[in-house]
């Protein structure tokens, strides 16, 4: 048995706008400098990736991506300074939150083992 946790940020309407999928997407954009390439690497459509970023930016009220227009390929995206800082902050938060579940989970497992013995 193991513990799996999912952490999401939700808006006032209880709609998810930030979670591990958006985190992975932004990390891929940071590495590839392209929303299209990031989406492809994660196996999701560009439209889905675009909407994930759009929902995040709407909820935060700040841009997280700087979309590059022009050039022969007409593609490219980089994280804004805010986007880069937000990505680091959220990643640190979600890792810390998941780690904080380890001790209660171990206690639960110990107590469950005792209960199973009865």
């Amino acid at each position: 048995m193991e513990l799996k946790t999912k952490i999401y940020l939700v808006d006032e309407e209880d709609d998810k706008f930030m979670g591990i999928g958006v985190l992975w997407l932004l990390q891929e954009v940071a590495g590839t400098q392209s929303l299209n390439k990031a989406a492809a690497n994660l196996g999701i459509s560009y439209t889905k990736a675009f909407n994930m970023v759009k929902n995040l930016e709407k909820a935060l009220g700040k841009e997280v991506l700087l979309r590059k227009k022009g050039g022969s390929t007409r593609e490219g995206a980089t994280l804004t300074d805010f986007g880069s800082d937000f990505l680091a902050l959220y990643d640190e938060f979600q890792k810390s939150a998941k780690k904080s579940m380890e001790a209660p989970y171990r206690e639960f497992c110990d107590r469950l083992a005792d209960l199973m013995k009865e």
Side-chain angles (χ1 to χ4, degrees), residues 1-66:
M1 177 171 52
E2 67 180 281
L3 177 66
K4 295 281 185 183
T5 58
K6 292 185 179 184
I7 299 170
Y8 298 102
L9 300 180
V10 297
D11 62 18
E12 299 80 26
E13 288 84 39
D14 206 34
D15 293 325
K16 298 175 196 171
F17 67 88
M18 184 65 194
I20 196 70
V22 180
L23 176 71
W24 291 338
L25 178 62
L26 295 178
Q27 289 172 332
E28 281 294 317
V29 169
T32 63
Q33 305 279 298
S34 167
L35 184 58
N36 193 29
K37 288 177 186 172
N41 288 350
L42 293 173
I44 61 174
S45 72
Y46 174 82
T47 302
K48 179 175 176 125
F50 179 84
N51 286 330
M52 290 165 71
V53 172
K54 188 172 108 180
N55 290 339
L56 175 63
E57 289 178 334
K58 179 182 173 195
L60 296 176
K62 304 253 311 176
E63 287 187 348
V64 295
L65 283 189
L66 177 62

Side-chain angles (χ1 to χ4, degrees), residues 56-83:
L56 175 63
E57 289 178 334
K58 179 182 173 195
L60 296 176
K62 304 253 311 176
E63 287 187 348
V64 295
L65 283 189
L66 177 62
R67 293 150 183 94
K68 298 176 187 172
K69 296 179 182 167
S72 62
T73 61
R74 294 196 188 286
E75 71 176 41
T78 56
L79 295 175
T80 62
D81 288 341
F82 171 81

